[in-house]
Amino acid sequence: MIRRLEVDAFPWIGGRPIGEITAPELLAMLRRIESRGALNTAHRVHQNCGQVLRYAIATGRAQRDPSADLRGALPPANRKHYPTITDPKAIGELLRAIDGYSGTYSTRYALRLAPCCL
């Protein structure tokens, strides 16, 4: 989170007093991130800035959180859905392949636990 703020937020708003940061300034910063095609990062920076601003309010460093005004300003992040195996024979093959995996201890047991979590 710190690295994301150092790269994407601090160069634009890092030198400003936190109580003087406005919603248009935050939006301009988020649009820069969005313009380079990093929409997920823009959403995360927005969330992180909101967390910092809420902390500033709680500690008396700011009066309000301008990031709340930007809710819905960014297009939704693209989500990729992964297909699942529904054929019982294919599920059996997958479970046998997991059982036969001979890699590292932690990976082997993580693979064995994965079907239990679904």
Side-chain angles (χ1 to χ4, degrees), residues 79-90:
R79 296 179 188 246
K80 184 175 181 181
H81 297 281
Y82 297 96
T84 187
I85 298 173
T86 56
D87 179 37
K89 288 184 180 182

Side-chain angles (χ1 to χ4, degrees), residues 52-114:
V52 170
L53 287 159
R54 284 190 299 278
Y55 178 77
I57 292 168
T59 58
R61 293 178 174 94
Q63 295 299 314
R64 62 179 306 277
D65 174 9
S67 72
D69 298 338
L70 301 178
R71 191 163 289 132
L74 294 173
N78 296 328
R79 296 179 188 246
K80 184 175 181 181
H81 297 281
Y82 297 96
T84 187
I85 298 173
T86 56
D87 179 37
K89 288 184 180 182
I91 293 171
E93 290 175 25
L94 175 63
L95 293 174
R96 283 188 291 280
I98 289 172
D99 192 47
Y101 180 77
S102 60
T104 64
Y105 177 83
S106 58
T107 303
R108 186 170 61 232
Y109 283 95
L111 285 170
R112 287 183 182 176
L113 283 173

Side-chain angles (χ1 to χ4, degrees), residues 11-25:
W12 309 109
I13 61 171
R16 304 266 332 243
I18 197 160
E20 295 178 11
I21 295 173
T22 63
E25 290 174 314

Side-chain angles (χ1 to χ4, degrees), residues 23-73:
E25 290 174 314
L26 283 175
L27 183 59
M29 176 193 65
L30 294 171
R31 292 284 185 224
R32 285 184 187 99
I33 300 167
E34 180 188 12
S35 70
R36 70 171 199 252
L39 187 56
N40 286 330
T41 301
H43 280 280
R44 288 179 187 213
V45 168
H46 180 215
Q47 180 183 19
N48 298 148
C49 287
Q51 292 168 337
V52 170
L53 287 159
R54 284 190 299 278
Y55 178 77
I57 292 168
T59 58
R61 293 178 174 94
Q63 295 299 314
R64 62 179 306 277
D65 174 9
S67 72
D69 298 338
L70 301 178
R71 191 163 289 132

